Amino acid sequence: MGLNSLRQAAGLCLAGLLCLFSANTVAADAPRPLKLTTTADHSKFKELQREFQSGPDVTKACLSCHTEAAGQIHRTKHWKWEFLNPVSGQTLGKKSVLNNFCISVASNYSACTSCHVGYGWKDASFDFSVEENVDCLVCHDTTGIYKKPPGLAGNPVVKDTELPPGSGKIVKGIDITKVAQKVGKSSRDTCGSCHFFGGGGDGVKHGDLDSSMAAPDKELDVHMDATGLDFTCATCHKTSSHDVAGSRYTPTAMDKEGAHVRGKEDKSNPATCVSCHDNTPHKKDERLNQHATKLACQTCHIPEFARGGVATKMSWDWSKAGERDAEGKQITRKDAKGRIIYESRKGAFELGENVRPEYFWFNGDVNYTLVTDKIDKPDGVTRINWLGGSPTDGKSMIWPVKVFRGSQPYDPENKTLVKPHTAGNDDTGYWKNLVWDKAIETGMKDAGLPFSGKVDFVKTEMFWPITHMVAPKEKALACSECHSKNGRLAGIQGVYIPGRDANPLVDRLGWGIALLSLIGSLGHGLMRFAARRKH
Amino acid sequence: MKITKPLTSIALLALLGASFSASAYDADWKRGRIYYRSVCTSCHVALPVGSINPSAKTMAEWSGYMQADKHAKGKDTVKQYVSKEYRASIKSANKAAEKFADVPDQELLDDIKAFVTKGAKDGEAPASCS
């Protein structure tokens, strides 16, 4: 028995060694496994062959080769969260503007900066000049495991950590070394890790960007179709020196520059439809090209947004926030589909899927009501941003838009919108305490702005042009969607749309011509018939 | 008697080393995601068996399932539905099968394993079907 076991083990050992020998021989003969999507396997670089303890630790290693990268990032909106609008002169960017979703970054840095391309922005004193605070991994992760939870000022969790502190919930630490060794090009997943979740959750803000766009089918987006064209975000948002083309603050509403061509210097926005499809994209029907002089491509080719099975928020009423249950605890309500429609800390929401856009003339100008601006009509609706445009300015087109409506706190004495301190496990954070005046006082103090101590609510609107989720051409709008009474463009002024518009004189003239033609034909036929009988 | 265990271990390690050195394939979880959703899930929904989220099982459960290679409670195999032959049979109606028609079977299987492992209930990024 013992001898047999020994023989068996020896046999196995011999077989294993033979296998190893033969496999290595085969491996030596066969071409080595080759990555074709990159020129560098970062796991082979000595600089990355060690255990990393933090994000900045990784960045230092990245910068030892990519010496200019951090400096390039430092010049971008993704880093500064600040943008000077050359048209309006307004200072915009996430750092300055407010919205009617989670409202404002000021005093909420540790939560909001989980989507900053940096590490450690926890308050207004963040040093924007430090190179190792640039987060390379958030854009270049290929593992899909890199995450930056809210509350950590843009830092990832590298060791198992209780979040929020005292909650008893443990967030597992990620293997940041593995992430560093597997870096690659940006992808829908990396861009989407922030842009799909704008406004505090999946699909909340944009309506045309949510997690369903990570690997969409053709029905959802013809360009990003994972089994077809498989565009990444950067395919259109062409990036130069780490500066990503395309902007929510200065979008291109009408592109007269035509398609970009290799070898020709193109300074226009590469993220427009025209930059690939040219100004006359319809090869078989010239009438559609005529439409394309007034209608943005998106108007016909994105019939609905939020089509991927993820609902987008359509309204947010902060004035309803603050309810507690009988035990004084915060509550959450869900709709029949299990989606949250009320939270004590945030208020009431309306959600939408397969939403038909609203339509507006848009010339690319976007103006903002800033926190320093006086609200003239607090009883009406304050537009936090609004789109410039008219049918006669020669640079506007009709665009599909998600209009996000809400009600949010303002200062009725100073007549301004306010920046409340919402996120934060402290005495004034609204999400913890549900007390508005404390939260607003902290937020406005952080922003260096006055607050009277009085709080009321004002109705607000924001306008988000729709440009993703391009449907297959077979699913583009049919003529009757607009050429009809009460069609999609019922509210659009300044353009004559047959089927929608009626001019009594033109109508009478048309019907008159038709009637005369009928009488003429019948008369002619009658005379021919009578003449035949005579012969 | 005592010498047999170390010898057996050496033998198994040698076999493992042989297989590893012969196929050092770096699995592509994103390709696995597309195949899982476009082929596995779309068929499950159509049959209708119903979709199975990667996060419905733990990593150990997925590992056991893939290793056992028993599809539909053992009526057929998982590998069968990842094979080139299967992909060829459905590629006229399934774009993922068409796109990955020439991918070696083992690579695609590894891609799917990588996706479900990463997306498992206790995985690094629990995932759904859609």
Side-chain angles (χ1 to χ4, degrees):
Chain A
M1 191 67 181
L3 194 60
N4 282 342
S5 297
L6 193 63
R7 278 178 183 162
Q8 280 174 2
L12 264 173
C13 189
L14 185 61
L17 289 170
L18 279 171
C19 279
L20 182 60
F21 175 75
S22 60
N24 283 334
T25 308
V26 171
D29 294 341
R32 67 184 179 86
L34 193 64
K35 293 177 190 294
L36 298 174
T37 53
T38 178
T39 54
D41 180 346
H42 281 74
S43 68
K44 293 178 180 169
F45 294 156
K46 284 179 187 169
E47 289 81 356
L48 299 177
Q49 288 171 346
R50 64 182 181 87
E51 291 295 314
F52 292 103
Q53 303 301 321
S54 70
D57 200 15
V58 175
T59 301
K60 278 182 200 168
C62 300
L63 296 179
S64 66
C65 293
H66 300 277
T67 56
E68 308 306 301
Q72 291 174 0
I73 287 286
H74 281 180
R75 295 153 52 98
T76 67
K77 292 187 288 288
H78 275 111
W79 176 255
K80 295 179 184 174
W81 282 13
E82 188 174 270
F83 175 72
L84 178 64
N85 187 322
V87 178
S88 67
Q90 288 185 309
T91 299
L92 306 174
K94 288 182 186 298
K95 204 165 71 174
S96 304
V97 300
L98 36 70
N99 61 43
N100 51 359
F101 295 89
C102 290
I103 302 180
S104 170
V105 172
S107 78
N108 303 306
Y109 295 102
S110 289
C112 301
T113 57
S114 63
C115 270
H116 181 235
V117 289
Y119 301 116
W121 188 358
K122 62 180 173 28
D123 56 37
S125 69
F126 179 66
D127 187 348
F128 287 88
S129 68
V130 178
E131 293 205 334
E132 56 260 37
N133 280 349
V134 168
D135 182 353
C136 309
L137 301 179
V138 73
C139 300
H140 294 287
D141 169 43
T142 65
T143 66
I145 63 172
Y146 187 72
K147 288 184 173 54
K148 309 209 296 179
L152 297 181
N155 288 297
V157 176
V158 294
K159 291 175 185 165
D160 291 2
T161 306
E162 186 185 37
L163 274 180
S167 65
K169 296 175 186 171
I170 303 296
V171 175
K172 280 169 62 179
I174 57 169
D175 184 351
I176 199 170
T177 303
K178 175 180 164 184
V179 176
Q181 290 177 348
K182 285 181 167 282
V183 289
K185 291 177 184 173
S186 68
S187 64
R188 294 187 298 264
D189 288 284
T190 53
C191 301
S193 68
C194 282
H195 292 281
F196 293 162
F197 298 90
D202 195 358
V204 166
K205 187 182 278 182
H206 297 286
D208 59 348
L209 289 173
D210 59 48
S211 63
S212 67
M213 295 286 276
D217 60 12
K218 190 176 179 182
E219 289 293 304
L220 183 56
D221 191 289
V222 293
H223 300 110
M224 296 195 178
D225 172 14
T227 57
L229 293 172
D230 205 16
F231 279 23
T232 66
C233 305
T235 307
C236 296
H237 293 273
K238 285 202 172 298
T239 299
S240 175
S241 306
H242 281 97
D243 194 14
V244 181
S247 167
R248 287 278 171 189
Y249 298 118
T250 52
T252 306
M254 178 188 278
D255 186 350
K256 296 178 179 176
E257 302 300 320
H260 288 196
V261 178
R262 287 180 191 181
K264 176 174 156 250
E265 189 182 13
D266 290 300
K267 291 184 177 174
S268 61
N269 181 0
T272 67
C273 305
V274 167
S275 71
C276 283
H277 293 282
D278 213 341
N279 293 101
T280 53
H282 307 96
K283 304 305 175 198
K284 293 179 181 173
D285 195 337
E286 184 53 30
R287 279 179 307 172
L288 293 179
N289 287 335
Q290 289 166 7
H291 281 67
T293 62
K294 296 288 182 192
L295 297 172
C297 306
Q298 291 88 337
T299 295
C300 295
H301 291 278
I302 309 177
E304 281 98 27
F305 56 86
R307 297 203 314 274
V310 177
T312 187
K313 275 196 173 81
M314 295 304 297
S315 74
W316 185 326
D317 187 349
W318 280 98
S319 71
K320 303 264 174 61
E323 286 184 38
R324 293 178 187 269
D325 66 12
E327 295 173 356
K329 290 181 179 171
Q330 295 197 24
I331 57 174
T332 298
R333 294 192 195 103
K334 295 181 178 178
D335 64 11
K337 293 183 178 176
R339 305 176 305 198
I340 293 174
I341 53 171
Y342 180 83
E343 278 186 276
S344 298
R345 62 190 190 133
K346 290 184 176 177
F349 318 121
E350 286 178 329
L351 305 171
E353 280 187 67
N354 305 309
V355 183
R356 176 189 282 200
E358 296 180 44
Y359 298 90
F360 299 91
W361 287 103
F362 180 36
N363 62 13
D365 295 342
V366 186
N367 294 286
Y368 274 77
T369 299
L370 301 174
V371 71
T372 48
D373 293 335
K374 296 291 180 190
I375 301 173
D376 292 330
K377 295 176 182 173
D379 292 333
V381 176
T382 296
R383 295 178 301 175
I384 291 184
N385 77 339
W386 65 96
L387 310 179
S390 84
T392 56
D393 66 5
K395 53 182 185 177
S396 296
M397 301 186 91
I398 298 166
W399 269 77
V401 176
K402 170 185 171 178
V403 183
F404 187 71
R405 298 182 168 88
S407 176
Q408 66 194 85
Y410 88 109
D411 182 337
E413 199 161 295
N414 288 322
K415 296 188 184 304
T416 62
L417 294 168
V418 293
K419 295 185 167 186
H421 174 45
T422 50
N425 197 22
D426 54 62
D427 289 339
T428 63
Y430 185 80
W431 288 350
K432 184 182 180 190
N433 301 290
L434 307 183
V435 179
W436 277 119
D437 51 359
K438 273 188 183 180
I440 295 170
E441 188 179 357
T442 301
M444 294 298 271
K445 191 176 176 184
D446 184 88
L449 295 163
F451 173 53
S452 70
K454 293 179 181 170
V455 184
D456 201 352
F457 292 85
V458 60
K459 288 180 180 172
T460 53
E461 285 180 347
M462 284 197 85
F463 296 78
W464 299 87
I466 295 295
T467 196
H468 306 99
M469 294 190 179
V470 178
K473 60 184 178 184
E474 302 79 24
K475 298 287 176 67
L477 291 188
C479 307
S480 59
E481 292 277 353
C482 300
H483 292 281
S484 59
K485 301 282 183 193
N486 302 316
R488 289 184 181 237
L489 301 185
I492 291 291
Q493 301 299 312
V495 62
Y496 184 83
I497 302 177
R500 181 196 74 166
D501 300 317
N503 182 318
L505 187 65
V506 174
D507 283 353
R508 277 189 207 131
L509 194 64
W511 282 113
I513 290 169
L515 185 63
L516 287 172
S517 301
L518 183 65
I519 291 169
S521 301
L522 287 172
H524 177 77
L526 198 63
M527 283 192 286
R528 291 284 300 267
F529 183 73
R532 185 185 63 83
R533 285 183 71 186
K534 280 180 183 175
H535 290 291
Chain B
M1 273 296 279
K2 284 180 182 173
I3 202 168
T4 55
K5 278 189 178 176
L7 275 175
T8 308
S9 301
I10 290 167
L12 290 172
L13 276 172
L15 281 167
L16 187 67
S19 65
F20 179 76
S21 61
S23 63
Y25 172 63
D26 192 7
D28 180 354
W29 68 271
K30 291 186 183 181
R31 192 160 68 181
R33 174 174 65 182
I34 295 169
Y35 197 84
Y36 185 92
R37 289 177 175 172
S38 301
V39 179
C40 307
T41 300
S42 65
C43 189
H44 275 214
V45 170
L47 277 178
V49 178
S51 57
I52 300 169
N53 289 330
S55 59
K57 295 179 189 289
T58 62
M59 288 193 287
E61 286 168 340
W62 277 118
S63 177
Y65 176 76
M66 299 298 269
Q67 200 167 2
D69 195 24
K70 289 178 180 175
H71 181 259
K73 295 178 181 172
K75 287 178 186 168
D76 44 28
T77 66
V78 178
K79 282 180 182 166
Q80 171 187 335
Y81 292 99
V82 183
S83 67
K84 278 188 181 179
E85 291 73 24
Y86 180 70
R87 280 174 264 155
S89 71
I90 63 167
K91 71 177 185 181
S92 60
N94 190 297
K95 285 177 65 186
E98 183 187 8
K99 182 169 184 174
F100 305 137
D102 298 326
V103 176
D105 291 2
Q106 191 57 48
E107 283 189 14
L108 197 51
L109 200 62
D110 287 349
D111 295 343
I112 296 167
K113 278 182 196 169
F115 173 59
V116 294
T117 303
K118 173 177 165 293
K121 193 187 293 179
D122 56 346
E124 291 167 316
S128 67
C129 287
S130 56

